[in-house]
Amino acid sequence: MIIGGRLKSLLRRIFFGLAVLVLLAVIAILVQFFLLARQSEGLLNAGIINGALNGVPKATLQNCPDRPSCVNSMAEEEMHAIAPFRYGASSARAIDRLAAIISDMPRTEIRVKQVNYIHATFASALFGFVDDVEFLLDGNVIQVRSVSRVGYGDMGVNRNRVEEIRRLYNEE
């Protein structure tokens, strides 16, 4: 009986110690996510690149970084590729429509709105990670790029966001 009681007491202490260690590890991970999200607020991963095509200035979107948390309709890599948007209305109407859709989405901010370009930011609900989303009128299509500022993967968040905006845009 005494040996059994000592064993139970020892097992309880070991279990309690392990539970405390797990709790501390979870807290440390949550703090790291929070700090990483705050870091993402100050980074910028967007902007038009001006190049030349046959001597004519041509604006393009930046390439995706070498990680799966980015989609770009101008990308050739399958991991990043996504279809551009089509528009039949005037370019001004297309930009205004996109701006209205983005403005109605939660935790968004339109940072730049020009006649042919929109740059918006989206923040995640839990930690506030910031993603950059861009739209650029390019002939008869709207090029799109959506990228996470920090982290490697995004569990498809950027691709899903672009497809949701496309769905809303096409409902018109």
Side-chain angles (χ1 to χ4, degrees):
M1 255 341 212
I2 294 176
I3 292 177
R6 286 183 182 163
L7 183 59
K8 283 182 184 179
S9 176
L10 178 63
L11 288 176
R12 270 192 223 117
R13 282 191 236 149
I14 290 172
F15 178 76
F16 179 76
L18 288 174
V20 168
L21 284 175
V22 168
L23 179 63
L24 290 174
V26 168
I27 290 170
I29 290 169
L30 290 174
V31 166
Q32 287 296 323
F33 274 126
F34 179 77
L35 293 174
L36 191 58
R38 296 297 67 78
Q39 177 187 0
S40 76
E41 291 174 357
L43 300 174
L44 180 62
N45 194 357
I48 297 173
I49 299 172
N50 289 317
L53 183 62
N54 299 325
V56 177
K58 179 169 176 57
T60 63
L61 299 174
Q62 293 181 30
N63 293 329
C64 282
D66 190 24
R67 51 190 163 96
S69 60
C70 178
V71 294
N72 187 337
S73 59
M74 301 177 102
E76 294 180 13
E77 307 86 20
E78 185 178 335
M79 173 174 63
H80 301 299
I82 194 163
F85 287 33
R86 303 265 178 224
Y87 72 96
S90 72
S91 58
R93 173 81 175 111
I95 288 292
D96 288 344
R97 176 95 175 112
L98 284 169
I101 290 167
I102 292 166
S103 294
D104 286 343
M105 298 178 89
R107 298 172 308 281
T108 63
E109 179 185 350
I110 294 180
R111 308 288 294 269
V112 177
K113 181 182 177 224
Q114 299 172 344
V115 295
N116 67 337
Y117 175 75
I118 293 176
H119 170 218
T121 56
F122 288 74
S124 65
L126 186 57
F127 291 106
F129 287 103
V130 179
D131 295 343
D132 292 294
V133 181
E134 301 173 276
F135 297 91
L136 175 67
L137 293 176
D138 182 22
N140 63 347
V141 298
I142 304 169
Q143 303 292 353
V144 60
R145 178 178 181 265
S146 185
V147 59
S148 299
R149 288 186 177 180
V150 296
Y152 181 76
D154 70 344
M155 297 181 289
V157 169
N158 283 291
R159 184 174 300 278
N160 293 339
R161 177 185 300 117
V162 169
E163 293 303 343
E164 175 64 9
I165 294 170
R166 182 192 317 275
R167 183 188 68 73
L168 294 168
Y169 182 82
N170 289 334
E171 282 181 357
E172 184 180 89

